[in-house]
């Protein structure tokens, strides 16, 4: 149990470290004496005429990347939540419920069930997968209909990590390299 917790913690730490440019915040207004003009990318905040301050430049990440990071971070907050068919809360959730909530909290509407989610967005090749993309699976033995979905949280070369909710372990991060998920994989789609 401790090894699983430690592994999950390290994975979450790796997934979140360096993913978003850290913005420095100050508890009180920072006062700077200025002679000349501001540096490139900086703007003078003239709310107090005697004490101009510099603002941090806005993030240089594309809007889709920023939104993907936000959605991923929201989904990761549900790590460890148990599986519950049809669930969309911390008390339990299924795979499509996890993504329905994570995307919905960032004003990106998705259908509630995985096979309908699979009809959204643009289909992409697995080599093109990036953070924030969706992976779709068929886990049924008899029915070949898409019935499982995951959200890509990390791409490291050919290793694709995704968060999803499984019946046996709840909300976890898995690798597409794992035999079961690689075998069950059907397609990838870009929503953002």
């Amino acid at each position: 149990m401790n090894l699983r917790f430690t592994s999950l913690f390290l994975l979450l730490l790796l997934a979140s470290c360096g993913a978003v440019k850290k913005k420095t915040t100050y508890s009180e207004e920072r006062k700077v004496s200025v002679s000349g003009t501001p540096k490139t990318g900086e703007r003078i905040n003239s709310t107090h005429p005697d004490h101009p301050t510099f603002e941090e430049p806005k993030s240089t990440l594309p809007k889709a990347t920023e939104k993907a990071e936000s959605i991923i971070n929201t989904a990761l907050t549900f790590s460890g939540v148990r599986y519950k068919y049809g669930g969309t809360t911390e008390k339990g959730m299924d795979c499509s419920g996890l993504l329905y909530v994570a995307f919905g909290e960032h004003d990106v509407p998705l259908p509630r069930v995985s096979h309908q989610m699979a009809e959204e967005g643009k289909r992409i090749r697995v080599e093109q997968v990036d953070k924030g993309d969706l992976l779709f699976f068929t886990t049924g033995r008899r029915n070949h209909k898409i019935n499982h979905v995951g959200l890509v949280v990390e791409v490291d070369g050919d290793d694709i990590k995704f968060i999803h909710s499984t019946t046996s372990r709840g909300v976890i991060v898995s690798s597409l390299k794992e035999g079961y998920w690689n075998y069950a994989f059907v397609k990838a789609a870009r929503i953002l």
Side-chain angles (χ1 to χ4, degrees), residues 77-93:
T77 65
F78 293 103
S79 292
V81 170
R82 71 180 183 86
Y83 180 87
K84 180 180 179 186
Y85 181 77
T88 58
T89 68
E90 296 86 12
K91 292 182 179 180
M93 55 181 36

Side-chain angles (χ1 to χ4, degrees), residues 13-26:
L13 185 64
L14 288 174
S16 65
C17 289
V20 177
K21 182 179 175 183
K22 182 178 179 202
K23 182 173 180 175
T24 306
T25 57
Y26 300 93

Side-chain angles (χ1 to χ4, degrees), residues 66-175:
E66 283 182 23
K67 189 159 278 225
E69 291 290 344
S70 297
I71 291 168
I72 289 167
N73 288 334
T74 298
L76 289 170
T77 65
F78 293 103
S79 292
V81 170
R82 71 180 183 86
Y83 180 87
K84 180 180 179 186
Y85 181 77
T88 58
T89 68
E90 296 86 12
K91 292 182 179 180
M93 55 181 36
D94 61 13
C95 61
S96 57
L98 171 65
L99 301 188
Y100 178 80
V101 169
F103 277 80
E105 284 191 20
H106 298 280
D107 300 321
V108 180
L110 283 179
R112 176 58 186 87
V113 294
S114 56
H115 69 89
Q116 289 176 344
M117 284 182 189
E119 297 170 8
E120 299 291 315
K122 177 185 174 192
R123 187 175 185 150
I124 56 174
R125 294 191 331 258
V126 73
E127 298 84 21
Q128 298 172 310
V129 167
D130 202 1
K131 287 180 169 186
D133 292 336
L134 302 183
L135 304 178
F136 295 96
F137 304 88
T138 298
T139 61
R141 293 182 182 162
R142 296 181 190 166
N143 187 353
H144 294 291
K145 183 177 172 182
I146 289 174
N147 64 348
H148 192 73
V149 61
L151 170 66
V152 176
V153 296
E154 181 182 353
V155 178
D156 184 16
D158 64 346
D159 189 16
I160 299 169
K161 301 249 193 281
F162 61 99
I163 189 166
H164 59 135
S165 183
T166 66
T167 55
S168 60
R169 297 173 56 200
V171 179
I172 59 170
V173 174
S174 299
S175 172

Side-chain angles (χ1 to χ4, degrees), residues 34-50:
V34 181
S35 62
T37 58
K39 295 178 185 175
T40 305
E42 295 178 320
R43 298 178 309 193
I44 294 180
N45 177 355
S46 58
T47 57
H48 193 291
D50 296 331

